[in-house]
Amino acid sequence: MRKYYLIITVLFGLMGLNSIAQEKYAVLICGEEVHVSHGDECLDCYPVGNRAYYNWTEFWDDTYLMWEMLVKPEAEGGMGFADENVYVLYADGTDGNIANPTWYADRYSSFNNFEIINITDDSATRDNVMEVLTGLAYGHNGYTRLKEDDFLFVWTFGHSISNELKDNGFSLKLYGDSITEVELGQKLRAISTEKKAIWMQNCFSSRYIDNLQKLNTVINTASWFSGHVADDYPVVENEIINDSTYHHAEFDYHLYSSTNQETPEEVSYYNGVPLSNADLNNDNVISLYESNQWLVNHNSTPDSMVFVDSCDISATTSLRFPTLLFENITSSESHRGIIGVTKDVRVMPGQTLTLYDKAKVHFINDAKITVEAGASLVIGDNVEFIMDDPHGTSDPSHSALLVRGNISFGSNVKFSSKNGHDWKGLDFDAMTTSYTLQNIEFDHCGIYGSVTVSNS
């Protein structure tokens, strides 16, 4: 690894070998498979108006798009999830395009786009859904037990079954069986991540909310009654590829397009409006709040959507960065896990910003954090500050952790560059107080000010 030290060169020992940073995980669940109809004969499909004469492809199309959005690299507009952390439970366990190889378009082939043969990890049966969610909660059967530092995204699609006569509300229809809303809520609440995001496209999804709510969980649901296919209004939303129609659910279409900043057809506008308009605070990251606002303003089907953000965190939570910092800190805050600094942030006098152990703080958009005189920054063990500039457009003289106030360091703190571009790093801004720092690593950046670095 090549290192650049702008002021001093220090040899550091091995650091942080036992630290495990926050990870982002996702579970995508769709129990319905593609239903194919031929002429006037509907084979194993659900006739709704003239939909009986279409290929019901949205179940695979939207499953694939959600996976693609998550695992695509950030430099390509994706959310940067590791593929091994995204659990896809779909129908009988076979990718929809593989189950229909003679006519399915390459647009919905993971092999064509990523050289990955099959993104589906297992069939969407009750046993498999229970196994994955239990595994993430307790670490059973080889699954990683998710911790408070981790982040979980859950997406569901398919049909719902009314259990009201049994006083059990509704069940999510899976492949050959189902899971009740009570059971689903119990399993998700047992997973101890500090933050969760849940998107539910399935019919009656808004009725599940009471069983899903938990602190720091943002829930977005498609309907009180029936989820709707994209209605091609005011523009065509379902794709025509090689004379075949590839459908999307309206709810999925708008959340995907706004978050991904591209429609399924890979264009950056909708009905002549740039998708960048979804970025209400212009920080180049779409928060859960912003994607919902785009959905509300552009949904044209009669869905009764419900959005729940009981802890008021959706504006500062995104799939790319589970925690977003873009406003000045005017009351003391504490954060953990993956953090995106998307605009210049000042810790104001009298306030404290605490970064818990193992936090990963990404600087994008040339942003910096300034700890003003009279303010404090508390940095835990194994915290890493990262220049995150995939396109090489940042100004290295601007992005920095600039300290004019008080700061305390844990052990094994690191300043690095994700993309190999130089940046300023740690700047004590001509402070007269002398700091002695131990076991701090600088990669593609440096340190300025009255400071002594040692490796004792």
Side-chain angles (χ1 to χ4, degrees), residues 168-183:
N168 286 325
F170 292 85
S171 291
L172 176 63
K173 188 174 182 293
L174 299 172
Y175 191 75
D177 43 36
S178 62
I179 182 173
T180 70
E181 58 174 295
V182 174
E183 293 170 323

Side-chain angles (χ1 to χ4, degrees), residues 276-329:
S276 57
N277 284 12
D279 186 8
L280 299 177
N281 67 345
N282 298 309
D283 71 345
N284 295 317
V285 177
I286 304 300
S287 69
L288 299 179
Y289 171 80
E290 289 170 329
S291 63
N292 181 67
Q293 289 300 295
W294 177 274
L295 170 67
V296 169
N297 291 328
H298 294 87
N299 177 68
S300 56
T301 62
D303 294 332
S304 300
M305 302 175 297
V306 178
F307 181 73
V308 176
D309 178 19
S310 57
C311 293
D312 196 25
I313 61 170
S314 62
T316 55
T317 305
S318 74
L319 299 183
R320 182 178 175 191
F321 299 112
T323 296
L324 297 170
L325 297 181
F326 53 82
E327 294 181 321
N328 291 339
I329 295 173

